[in-house]
Amino acid sequence: MSEVLVATGPGTARPSGSLSVLLPFIPRRPEQVLPYAALVEWTAAERLWQGQALAIEPFSTFAATAGAGFRVPTGLAVTLMPLRHPFAAADLAVSLAMTTGESVVAGFGPGARSLQQSLLGEAYRSPLTATREYLTIVRELVAGRPVDVAGEYYTCRGRLPHVPTPRIDLGLGVLRSGMADLAGEVADLAITWLTPARYLAETIVPAAAAGAARAGRARPRITALVPAALRRPDRDPVDLTLGGSSAHLSLPHYQDMLRRAGIDVTGDDLTLDAKKLVTAGGFLYGDPEELAGQFRAYRAAGVDEIVLNLTGVFNRHGPRAAMDDLKTMLTAAAAAADADADADVPTRSAATVAAPTPIEDAR
């Protein structure tokens, strides 16, 4: 490919409303991550994200990447609460920010009930209560404040050293209105995965706004991790969806979210479910101009950051194809943003989003 990327260079301010990049595989060696970190460092991409992984833990992956000389903003979407106590989670978030010298989004979620049962002995009776306790403890600790919490699920008495760090924001993995409402109350970001734009506009964003209003704070930013691919002759979007999202389509809480979004998935026929997701706009597919229009729909729904998930392309067509798609998408999106700015085209919803609050001052 011969696309010309929009170079920003290290340390350049990355505007809100832009695109970010999800690492589209689980690394087995840290050096596999370096091309994606370089992509974020030298283009207008805002942040490098990774989901939960167990081979090389995401915090370790990003620390190794920084040690290799690629220090970029990072995001974790999302680390699973049953895997570690909130004290350990806070310590890792602070360690990552200090190691990279860049901002960190630490996203958390309760995970599937089966995971909770396997690691904790039983599932959370109230995932919302468990998540509230977890995030409350982490927030106080990363700010260097003492914690004295004896909750239903998590207990913590102690503090981390109060040391200067780059910005640390806390996010919640959000699929349904209850967790979106909680994110509005206690989180800096609501992080969604596989959620169509219409569902975000009609359900997730209003719920996050309602939670924020009740708490007397600004609505948290909305970050949507969106599976996508460029249209090419050798590709089938349904097959790409299966290549990147079949595990999520198999999980009950994702199926429930999609049904709430009006997509009648069953879990019995993943190919048919994937086709329904593509038809409903949960998988973005098209040429660069078509994708730019689909990105606008997400921004109009209230999304502040779109994270490009090219896992399907990576798994079906390999790393070179995934990287080529990412380069093309980032270049086309930057050109479209410039054109929109020249034409004064609105790309945000009417929902009010205040400037991010530093973590020391957040509720």
Side-chain angles (χ1 to χ4, degrees):
M1 302 293 290
S2 59
E3 295 85 356
V4 178
L5 299 183
V6 180
T8 62
T12 302
R14 294 165 168 84
S16 64
S18 63
L19 299 182
S20 290
V21 174
L22 176 72
L23 194 66
F25 61 95
I26 297 176
R28 296 295 185 266
R29 303 185 308 278
E31 58 267 26
Q32 293 175 306
V33 182
L34 300 184
Y36 296 89
L39 189 69
V40 172
E41 185 162 345
W42 291 107
T43 74
E46 184 172 349
R47 189 175 300 274
L48 181 62
W49 289 81
Q50 185 181 0
Q52 179 66 63
L54 299 177
I56 303 180
E57 226 286 336
F59 290 98
S60 299
T61 297
F62 288 143
T65 302
F70 291 93
R71 299 174 181 270
V72 299
T74 54
L76 299 113
V78 294
T79 56
L80 301 177
M81 291 158 36
L83 293 178
R84 59 176 61 88
H85 189 274
F87 191 96
D91 190 31
L92 284 170
V94 170
S95 298
L96 181 58
M98 295 179 69
T99 300
T100 63
E102 292 282 354
S103 67
V104 170
V105 173
F108 302 101
R113 288 180 58 86
S114 58
L115 176 74
Q116 298 163 21
Q117 291 168 340
S118 295
L119 299 184
L120 304 176
E122 63 178 355
Y124 299 126
R125 290 179 297 280
S126 172
L128 294 178
T129 299
T131 304
R132 179 190 296 278
E133 292 176 2
Y134 197 99
L135 207 71
T136 298
I137 293 169
V138 172
R139 181 175 295 286
E140 296 302 296
L141 290 170
V142 299
R145 292 190 285 262
V147 174
D148 187 356
V149 172
E152 182 179 354
Y153 299 97
Y154 291 100
T155 296
C156 183
R157 296 180 177 88
R159 68 184 300 172
L160 288 174
H162 183 46
V163 294
T165 69
R167 183 187 180 92
I168 300 172
D169 284 330
L170 303 184
L172 287 185
V174 167
L175 291 179
R176 292 167 287 197
S177 59
M179 194 66 78
D181 183 273
L182 179 61
E185 186 177 343
V186 303
D188 302 307
L189 291 87
I191 304 169
T192 72
W193 192 299
L194 220 63
T195 46
R198 181 175 177 179
Y199 177 70
L200 286 163
E202 295 179 352
T203 300
I204 297 301
V205 173
R214 190 172 60 254
R217 63 197 298 265
R219 169 171 74 72
R221 305 193 303 281
I222 308 294
T223 293
L225 284 86
V226 182
L230 283 171
R231 185 190 310 279
R232 300 191 189 276
D234 60 341
R235 294 182 178 178
D236 173 7
V238 174
D239 180 62
L240 292 173
T241 301
L242 291 171
S245 301
S246 58
H248 295 88
L249 289 171
S250 301
L251 292 172
H253 54 305
Y254 277 91
Q255 294 168 5
D256 180 68
M257 177 273 291
L258 291 171
R259 285 192 287 268
R260 291 170 187 264
I263 306 173
D264 186 25
V265 299
T266 65
D268 298 324
D269 185 337
L270 288 183
T271 299
L272 181 58
D273 289 346
K275 183 176 181 180
K276 292 176 180 178
L277 182 68
V278 172
T279 302
F283 183 96
L284 305 188
Y285 186 72
D287 59 34
E289 291 72 24
E290 289 173 317
L291 288 175
Q294 293 168 13
F295 297 156
R296 289 190 190 98
Y298 271 82
R299 294 196 177 101
V303 171
D304 301 279
E305 178 186 7
I306 299 169
V307 183
L308 297 172
N309 177 0
L310 274 291
T311 304
V313 176
F314 185 97
N315 287 340
R316 291 296 195 252
H317 298 278
R320 184 183 297 274
M323 182 61 73
D324 286 347
D325 271 21
L326 283 169
K327 291 176 181 178
T328 301
M329 289 179 189
L330 290 169
T331 301
D338 288 343
D340 287 347
D342 291 341
D344 195 27
V345 175
T347 58
R348 298 291 298 281
S349 73
T352 299
V353 184
T357 305
I359 195 155
E360 289 82 0
D361 299 327
R363 292 176 181 265

